Each structure stands twice: as structure tokens, then as C-alpha cells.
Amino acid sequence: MTALHDIPAWAALLVAALVLIGSSLALIGSLGLLRLKSFYDRVHAPTLGATLGMASILSASILYFSLSQTRPVVHEILIGIFVTVTTPVTLLLLVQATLYRDRLEGRNPLAEKPAPGPQERG
């Protein structure tokens, strides 16, 4: 017998919904990584998806293990803190390194880009 049979149905539904929401957010962030054109656009979408998705999945984990073990299980909070702190720092370091490299090569990625023409929008 697994602990899944020990938790109430409302809790199982809530855990399933939180895992589904977190997975969907991570998927949306991954799709942003594939769809966006430049590096500077690409680093933003997975960061948001990973952070929000991680919060939802860790909430589901806290709820499930706290109910199945009949005691508060909160070590997921440490995981959340580490991921929340390290993800923006990693993003910032990657963007700064890329910006430095682009400027050494004579490109300015932060310059205003002209509006796309009718052929480029499609």
C-alpha cells in the first residue's frame, strides 16, 4: 500500500493541479526558449517559467509529503530559496558576458531596432 491511498481526495486533486500548473509553466518557458529570436529574449522566458513552475511543483511536494507523513515537511522551501536566488544571478552573469562579447565585436544589441516591415512580420 502506498501513501497515495492515505491522503484525502481533495488533497490529491490539489497536488495534481499544482503539479500540472507547474509543469505547464515550465513548458511555456521552454517554448519561449525555442521560439524567441535573440539570446537576450531567450534567457528571459525560461527564467520566469522555471521560477514560477518550481514554486508550484514545490508547493505540491510540501502538501503531499506533509499529508502523507502526518508532519510538516518543509525542506522544499530551501530548494525554492536556492533556485530563486541562483536563477537570476545566472541570468545576469550570462547576459553580462554576452553583452561584453558583443561590444568587443563592435555590435550594440541594446541599440534601437527599426520596426519590422510588412514582409518581416509574417
Side-chain angles (χ1 to χ4, degrees), residues 21-22 24-30 32-33 36 41-56 83-84 87-88 91:
I21 290 169
S24 299
L25 290 171
L27 178 65
I28 290 169
S30 299
L33 181 67
L36 296 174
D41 295 335
R42 282 188 202 141
V43 294
H44 192 63
T47 304
L48 290 175
T51 304
L52 296 174
M54 174 266 318
S56 180
V83 171
T84 303
T87 300
L91 167 79

Side-chain angles (χ1 to χ4, degrees), residues 20-90:
L20 187 62
I21 290 169
S23 302
S24 299
L25 290 171
L27 178 65
I28 290 169
S30 299
L31 290 176
L33 181 67
L34 291 175
R35 297 269 313 164
L36 296 174
K37 302 251 185 251
S38 73
F39 172 78
Y40 300 101
D41 295 335
R42 282 188 202 141
V43 294
H44 192 63
T47 304
L48 290 175
T51 304
L52 296 174
M54 174 266 318
S56 180
I57 291 172
L58 289 180
S59 298
S61 178
I62 289 171
L63 182 64
Y64 175 75
F65 286 108
S66 294
L67 288 173
S68 65
Q69 295 180 9
T70 63
R71 64 181 175 88
V73 178
V74 293
H75 59 271
E76 286 89 351
I77 292 174
L78 285 176
I79 296 170
I81 290 171
F82 291 139
V83 171
T84 303
V85 168
T86 58
T87 300
V89 170
T90 304

